[in-house]
DNA sequence: TGCATATTTGCGCAAGTATGCAAATATAAA
DNA sequence: TTTATATTTGCATACTTGCGCAAATATGCA
């Protein structure tokens, strides 16, 4: 895993590794339809500007997608991308560098 | 997923979401035998005290295990724990709250 | 056009974090 | 005991980050 990959993966994990952002992700996770920011506001103890910033971080890391809808924005979780990123890392971590055990 | 779970999961991801710490984890990942801190020092651009601190964070999150060996400490990756944590999140994220799609 | 609502952005602040250096500690080996 | 090596810790510093507030922006609607 080269340096650049590590760096971008770190960015991804860092985006998820903040309580309120992870709460937002979990909230989105439980919704079957896209949500706007005002609605997401309620799940974490942050005002709307804070939520806006958190969502920006998440979308920059491709964790959520945004869709403009009139004066609102609909956010939805990029489920398969996020899950696959996590699984790739899980797999990498589980396999030994040199197959010398087992 | 209750608030406490989210919080501890965030801590776990945060520990992984720092470039140098993730580099250490990757380094350990590629090693089939436990490594000491001096050796791990080489894989990231941080001096030994920094590595010591990073490893402390990682072990606090149960990402690595430490074993005292004379004046050295041997660090090894808790592969199955880390992988399972990542997979649990991946699974949670992939499943819709209400089964309304597909 | 004028008002209401949703979201973003500038600003400042407080807290957290990563880092290197030097000193302290621990322990093996001479 | 003395010396050398590995690791930790205190300290200062620079940087980052999360936050709320207020103002700005965008857009729908009357």
């Amino acid at each position: 895993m080269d340096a650049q990959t590590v760096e971008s993966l770190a960015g991804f994990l860092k985006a998820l590794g903040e309580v309120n952002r992870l709460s937002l992700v979990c909230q989105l996770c439980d919704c079957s339809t896209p949500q706007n920011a005002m609605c997401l506001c309620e799940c974490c103890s942050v005002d709307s500007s804070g939520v806006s910033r958190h969502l920006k971080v998440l979308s920059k890391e491709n964790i959520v997608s945004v869709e403009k809808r009139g004066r609102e924005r609909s956010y939805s979780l990029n489920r398969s991308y996020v899950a696959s990123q996590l699984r790739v890392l899980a797999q990498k971590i589980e396999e030994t560098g040199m197959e010398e055990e087992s």
Side-chain angles (χ1 to χ4, degrees), chain A residues 28 33-37 40 55 64-77:
Chain A
L28 281 170
T33 59
Q35 304 291 312
N36 65 17
L40 292 168
L55 288 168
V64 302
S65 290
V66 205
E67 193 193 348
K68 285 188 71 169
R69 275 211 205 184
R71 73 188 144 191
E72 308 183 356
R73 308 231 159 157
S74 280
Y75 290 91
S76 56
L77 189 55

Side-chain angles (χ1 to χ4, degrees), chain A residues 2-22:
Chain A
D2 61 297
Q4 198 174 354
T5 308
V6 170
E7 196 168 334
S8 87
L9 190 50
F12 172 81
L13 294 168
K14 187 179 204 169
L16 288 177
E18 199 278 332
V19 203
N20 287 317
R21 277 197 299 268
L22 191 57

Side-chain angles (χ1 to χ4, degrees), chain A residues 95-102:
Chain A
E95 71 196 12
T96 337
M98 321 166 173
E99 318 294 84
E100 283 184 344
E101 44 179 48
S102 91

